[in-house]
Amino acid sequence: MSNVNKRAMGLGMQRSIIRDLFEFGMKRVAEVGAENVFDFSIGNPSVPAPSSVNETAIRLLQEMDPVAIHGYTSAQGDKDARRRIAESIGKSFGYTISPDSLYIATGAAGALCGCLNGLLNPGEEVIVFAPYFPEYKVFIEGAGGKMQLIPADIEHFQIDFERFEAVLSSNTKAVLINSPNNPSGAVYSEDTIRRLAQILKDKSEEFGHVIYLISDEPYRAIAFDGVKVPWVPSYYGNTLVCYSWSKALSLPGERIGYVAVPDEMEDHDEVYAAVAGASRSLGYVCPPSLFQRVCAMCAEDTSDISVYETNRNILVKGLRDLGFTCVEPEGTFYMFPQTLIPDDLAFCEKAKDFDLLIVPGSGFGCPGHTRISYCVPTERAERSLEAFAKLAAFYK
Ligand code: PLP
């Protein structure tokens, strides 16, 4: 019997429902053709990066010193890139942050791991709200912490504050939020953020230590109908923002994001050092240097997110007409309707009979729902309604 780390081995061997669906999809694509498989399983952006990304990459490759362009930057990221990101935060949110308070991270995943490992002492708790991105549990436990899950507010996918306050305790080190949300597509309203901030201020004072807010925001730029996503540090200074351009610029494979540690954060220098030190110990230093620069130069651009909004409109209306209950997503490229039977695992398994690949809500801590990733060509979203109709008819 091998003597490797059991937790790591367990994670490496775990079957993933999404990967299983992916493999099933590949098999069906070979049998019936890609256009007849409705793969709503994975959150891979379906629209290309804006032309500014390619233009900037090409220009940098042509103009920059050919050795420096691929060389190491400083561990916390290229200084000029951090300056540009700080400027962009100032411009977008009217919020001043020093470039030295930014840590360029290996995507939002690297940003989250840097924050969690930097903040948590063994056994400390992090509160997460369902439905949640399942990697949070892996990241929190990997950092030695314990995840406390608050059940979902399924009516609006905001925060169930009553349940939240019942779980907050002196052992709570941090609260982790994700808005716009994967999987519900909900955007936390300004009221929600304000109320959350007030509770965290009150409880930090009561317990005599800071409760950090970690705001995971890879979908911040993908909001519809002019909905504004609040800049959380403006409401609560002890917020660590974890951002990435994976979704906004359709660059998930380039692995660039950042952690912002607001200048006003209590013990700012210690917290920044802890994030940097934790990232270092995880090997998350100097993310890909060309794309640090490209992302910083295109910080406020986005891919054509109108495609996601169009798909949302088609699917929300189409599914409601078929009898599904669905909170309308305000952002991301996910929706999270209720399944037509309580058993979401059985429901998603049955959906495969109609070549519909959708993910059970149980994995997101919210049974009785299913996640539909509508980052697909619009004509595929349209044609999928026929398959959804057959699925609905099966349960009539
Ligand atoms: N957080 C959420 C909510 C996500 O959905 C994802 C990716 O899908 C991540 C973090 C990781 O993002 P990145 O690819 O930038 O590491």
Side-chain angles (χ1 to χ4, degrees):
M1 183 65 181
S2 102
N3 200 19
V4 297
N5 178 286
K6 292 279 182 295
R7 175 180 180 273
M9 186 182 73
L11 282 172
M13 285 183 162
Q14 218 169 55
R15 292 291 313 163
S16 133
I17 289 187
I18 294 182
R19 197 168 319 138
D20 286 349
L21 277 173
F22 179 73
E23 277 161 24
F24 173 80
M26 298 277 278
K27 187 174 129 267
R28 290 298 290 155
V29 164
E31 288 165 3
V32 299
E35 67 285 4
N36 295 314
V37 178
F38 304 105
D39 186 350
F40 295 111
S41 64
I42 292 185
N44 227 347
S46 56
V47 289
S51 56
S52 58
V53 163
N54 282 356
E55 285 158 16
T56 306
I58 291 166
R59 186 171 57 74
L60 289 175
L61 285 164
Q62 285 168 342
E63 289 177 4
M64 265 188 74
D65 176 286
V67 176
I69 182 99
H70 299 300
Y72 289 120
T73 63
S74 60
Q76 67 268 42
D78 177 68
K79 202 171 170 52
D80 184 60
R82 284 184 287 116
R83 181 186 60 74
R84 285 173 188 274
I85 297 168
E87 267 176 27
S88 149
I89 290 172
K91 204 162 111 197
S92 304
F93 308 112
Y95 188 85
T96 305
I97 188 160
S98 154
D100 293 332
S101 294
L102 298 171
Y103 189 94
I104 301 190
T106 308
L112 286 164
C113 288
C115 291
L116 291 164
N117 283 274
L119 293 177
L120 296 180
N121 294 297
E124 287 179 333
E125 292 171 5
V126 180
I127 292 182
V128 168
F129 302 98
Y132 72 102
F133 179 52
E135 291 301 282
Y136 289 165
K137 189 164 192 292
V138 179
F139 297 162
I140 292 168
E141 290 178 357
K146 216 174 125 201
M147 186 175 95
Q148 292 281 10
L149 188 64
I150 310 294
D153 148 29
I154 61 168
E155 226 176 293
H156 308 288
F157 293 127
Q158 297 287 312
I159 289 178
D160 184 333
F161 281 103
E162 228 167 83
R163 284 171 149 156
F164 171 53
E165 290 199 66
V167 171
L168 258 177
S169 80
S170 60
N171 205 27
T172 306
K173 185 60 168 281
V175 173
L176 171 49
I177 57 170
N178 168 224
S179 163
N181 182 268
N182 174 8
S184 70
V187 175
Y188 283 172
S189 67
E190 192 180 5
D191 269 1
T192 295
I193 297 295
R194 236 187 249 292
R195 193 162 165 199
L196 176 63
Q198 193 56 51
I199 292 170
L200 293 179
K201 280 177 202 160
D202 292 347
K203 291 291 174 179
S204 294
E205 205 172 300
E206 182 184 328
F207 299 143
H209 65 81
V210 174
I211 302 172
Y212 295 97
L213 182 57
I214 302 174
S215 184
D216 179 29
E217 308 181 356
Y219 303 94
R220 190 174 70 213
I222 308 179
F224 311 137
D225 304 322
V227 163
K228 286 266 171 294
V229 181
W231 172 251
V232 185
S234 298
Y235 301 82
Y236 189 62
N238 291 321
T239 301
L240 294 102
V241 175
C242 295
Y243 186 68
S244 98
W245 283 278
S246 297
K247 318 286 172 166
L249 289 177
S250 299
L251 296 175
E254 306 300 350
R255 315 303 306 134
I256 304 293
Y258 64 75
V259 179
V261 181
D263 302 349
E264 63 184 296
M265 179 171 288
E266 243 176 276
D267 298 326
H268 167 274
D269 294 357
E270 284 89 341
V271 175
Y272 185 87
V275 171
S279 302
R280 175 182 168 198
S281 77
L282 292 165
Y284 284 142
V285 287
C286 174
S289 57
L290 170 60
F291 271 85
Q292 284 189 41
R293 297 179 175 102
V294 172
C295 289
M297 288 176 174
C298 303
E300 290 144 49
D301 296 347
T302 62
S303 324
D304 179 8
I305 62 169
S306 70
V307 175
Y308 302 138
E309 189 164 355
T310 302
N311 291 357
R312 177 203 63 170
N313 293 343
I314 291 167
L315 286 167
V316 168
K317 176 169 186 323
L319 290 189
R320 282 182 178 163
D321 287 350
L322 290 170
F324 283 82
T325 300
C326 181
V327 177
E328 179 161 83
E330 292 186 313
T332 74
F333 37 59
Y334 306 108
M335 59 196 284
F336 201 56
Q338 291 182 19
T339 46
L340 297 173
I341 51 167
D343 184 345
D344 52 301
L345 294 161
F347 184 79
C348 295
E349 192 55 35
K350 178 45 77 184
K352 285 158 74 177
D353 289 353
F354 307 99
D355 289 317
L356 276 172
L357 312 190
I358 52 177
V359 185
S362 294
F364 304 93
C366 194
H369 291 75
T370 177
R371 187 187 74 173
I372 298 174
S373 300
Y374 50 85
C375 36
V376 297
T378 296
E379 67 78 28
R380 197 78 50 85
E382 272 164 349
R383 279 196 301 111
S384 75
L385 288 174
E386 214 173 292
F388 277 112
K390 288 180 191 155
L391 177 63
F394 177 83
Y395 287 107
K396 281 262 159 68

